[in-house]
Amino acid sequence: MKKMNKAIATASLLAMTAIPLAAFAQDVPPPTKTPDLSMVQNQNQVKIVPGTLGQITDFINDETGKFITVKGRGLAPTDQSEIILAITKDTKIVDAKGNKVALKTIIDEKKAIKAFYGPNITKSLPARGTALTLVVQDQSFTAIDGVVSEVRENGIFVKGTDIYSGFEDSIVLHFADKTQLVDQTGKAITASEIKEGMTVRAFYGPAVMLSLPAQSTTNYVVVNTEETEMPSEEAPGTNGVITNIADNTITVIGNPLEQGGINYIFLKVDEETQIVDENGVALTKDALKADQRIIAYYPEVMLMIYPAQSHADKIVVQSAVAPKVEGTIQASDFASEGQVYVNVGSDDSKNNDVILNISEDTVIIPLLAGEPKLKAGMKIVAYHSPIMTRSLPGMTNAEIVIVTEDKDAEMPR
């Protein structure tokens, strides 16, 4: 009986790997040892398994577990274009024929995979889940996020950014005979609906013609067909740092823009949010990460609560990531007026401690709405200048200080 179950499980796995590129992942549960009528009926039902087709862009293996980040496109419109997956002892890693493949080989050789995962995933950006099966693809590919600068006969010219290398890219993409063209909702569209100025994510390769510009064939293109009015850069906004991402909402802390804005705000990010880099090249929500420096624009009308909440109309992603420290403010002779000494890590080691210069430009977010005053005993997260002295302790300018714990704070009744 065990050999029979093993054979059935192997057959189900091979069936999963044989699914066409654009189809939903499917998995038919094997029969149990004591099948009854209801169990037999369940065998004939098809279970939808979410999946992402792409490459592994990050790998973590530490005391908390083993995790990979897969970036590409969802196999179904509701699936994730980027997801962090836990690799467990039950995760199967195979090629299209069902042969086992080492995870290290996939990462080192930058192989394309189909990653199937359970339906229970977080609502974070990117989402997190548990990998069920990784299926190595026979051919690799790359992809570009960009803007259609020219519509050509049976193709498009796209300028943007390679989603895997992060480098600027421009390429002429020819539509293959069975190229799938879909809009931002996953609905099929025709080539005639693609217009100059629309943003796309296009997958192509592995073959690329070394011409000027480069040329290749694409089999799958996601097109944002919605033409939205570009938000004015005279709108209010915040020049700051993304300190948290949850439920399609980013927390931004920084300095208000000259034309208006606030220093602490929750911003909803959706398909209507325009996301670009410093050169104006279109990006996706994948570019929004914690500790990333951005300029965010939003409407003047905001909910009158603390922190304020609004909708992100436009986000300019800056190239720099903000360095930060976490620890406890301590009284110290090393810190003079206008400075605080931070025990980084709140431990006994002094080798990594820092002195933060606090100026009128430093944004201080207290634990509770009130006067932003820093004192010994507070636990903080501080974003600072990338320039730090080589002294011990190091000294740098604090840009943002967030109080995370204050024993003296009085909670509202």
Side-chain angles (χ1 to χ4, degrees):
M1 182 63 71
K2 291 183 178 179
K3 291 183 179 179
M4 181 181 295
N5 286 339
K6 183 176 181 181
I8 293 173
T10 302
S12 299
L13 177 60
L14 291 174
M16 180 187 293
T17 64
I19 299 171
L21 196 68
F24 289 175
Q26 298 177 343
D27 179 25
V28 179
T32 62
K33 293 182 180 181
T34 57
D36 56 20
L37 182 59
S38 63
M39 291 296 184
V40 173
Q41 290 174 342
N42 286 339
Q43 292 175 34
N44 295 326
Q45 295 176 354
V46 177
K47 180 182 178 182
I48 302 299
V49 179
T52 299
L53 173 66
Q55 294 183 22
I56 295 175
T57 58
D58 193 21
F59 174 65
I60 297 175
N61 187 8
D62 56 22
E63 65 279 0
T64 63
K66 188 181 296 185
F67 304 89
I68 61 171
T69 300
V70 182
K71 186 174 183 179
R73 69 172 180 87
L75 295 180
T78 56
D79 295 342
Q80 305 297 309
S81 61
E82 182 177 14
I83 188 167
I84 299 173
L85 295 173
I87 305 297
T88 70
K89 59 181 178 60
D90 297 321
T91 302
K92 296 179 177 61
I93 307 176
V94 296
D95 61 19
K97 296 181 179 179
N99 301 315
K100 290 184 177 180
V101 180
L103 181 60
K104 186 177 186 300
T105 300
I106 299 174
I107 297 172
D108 291 346
E109 298 181 9
K110 298 181 180 179
K111 292 182 174 291
I113 63 169
K114 282 183 184 176
F116 298 97
Y117 40 89
N120 296 325
I121 61 175
T122 66
K123 294 183 179 180
S124 56
L125 286 176
R128 303 179 73 98
T130 300
L132 302 177
T133 305
L134 305 182
V135 183
V136 182
Q137 303 301 288
D138 292 333
Q139 287 190 323
S140 189
F141 56 79
T142 190
I144 183 173
D145 280 338
V147 177
V148 177
S149 64
E150 183 181 347
V151 177
R152 301 188 176 187
E153 183 178 358
N154 197 40
I156 52 177
F157 180 32
V158 181
K159 295 182 179 180
T161 304
D162 186 298
I163 72 170
Y164 298 116
S165 70
F167 296 136
E168 291 185 12
D169 194 11
S170 59
I171 189 166
V172 175
L173 297 175
H174 303 282
F175 299 142
D177 292 337
K178 296 183 179 180
T179 296
Q180 287 184 271
L181 304 176
V182 298
D183 66 12
Q184 64 279 2
T185 67
K187 178 183 176 182
I189 62 173
T190 62
S192 61
E193 296 178 68
I194 303 177
K195 309 296 181 184
E196 291 184 10
M198 289 183 174
T199 57
V200 300
R201 170 172 285 191
F203 296 80
Y204 62 91
V208 177
M209 185 183 300
L210 298 179
S211 56
L212 286 176
Q215 301 184 49
S216 187
T217 300
T218 179
N219 291 302
Y220 196 93
V221 183
V222 182
V223 184
N224 185 357
T225 57
E226 291 185 350
E227 296 184 6
T228 57
E229 183 180 350
M230 305 290 271
S232 169
E233 296 197 359
E234 295 301 316
T238 302
N239 185 346
V241 175
I242 298 175
T243 61
N244 188 54
I245 301 177
D247 298 331
N248 294 321
T249 298
I250 61 174
T251 303
V252 182
I253 300 177
N255 291 298
L257 300 181
E258 289 185 5
Q259 62 267 27
I262 55 176
N263 60 14
Y264 185 16
I265 188 169
F266 292 167
L267 293 174
K268 178 77 172 179
V269 179
D270 56 24
E271 64 277 358
E272 295 182 0
T273 302
Q274 180 194 5
I275 306 174
V276 298
D277 65 13
E278 293 169 300
N279 297 316
V281 176
L283 303 173
T284 67
K285 288 196 293 187
D286 300 335
L288 304 181
K289 303 180 184 299
D291 305 334
Q292 179 69 54
R293 294 183 187 272
I294 66 168
I295 301 176
Y297 299 89
Y298 39 83
E300 293 185 20
V301 179
M302 295 173 290
L303 298 180
M304 299 305 294
I305 60 176
Y306 181 82
Q309 298 184 17
S310 188
H311 174 268
D313 287 344
K314 180 178 180 180
I315 297 175
V316 180
V317 178
Q318 299 175 303
S319 57
V321 175
K324 71 176 181 179
V325 294
E326 299 183 43
T328 304
I329 297 177
Q330 289 186 347
S332 172
D333 293 337
F334 287 104
S336 57
E337 185 177 356
Q339 296 178 328
V340 293
Y341 182 98
V342 182
N343 177 357
V344 177
S346 303
D347 53 23
D348 295 330
S349 173
K350 296 185 180 299
N351 294 331
N352 60 345
D353 292 352
V354 299
I355 295 174
L356 297 177
N357 296 322
I358 309 297
S359 70
E360 60 181 12
D361 295 325
T362 303
V363 177
I364 301 175
I365 305 299
L367 185 62
L368 303 173
E371 183 180 357
K373 185 176 182 181
L374 301 176
K375 57 182 182 293
M378 286 181 171
K379 289 189 176 181
I380 64 169
V381 173
Y383 294 88
H384 58 81
S385 166
I387 301 174
M388 181 180 292
T389 65
R390 295 185 179 181
S391 58
L392 196 64
M395 186 182 303
T396 185
N397 296 327
E399 297 177 356
I400 300 168
V401 179
I402 306 168
V403 179
T404 59
E405 184 177 321
D406 183 2
K407 294 181 296 183
D408 299 329
E410 295 184 6
M411 300 300 291
R413 297 180 180 178

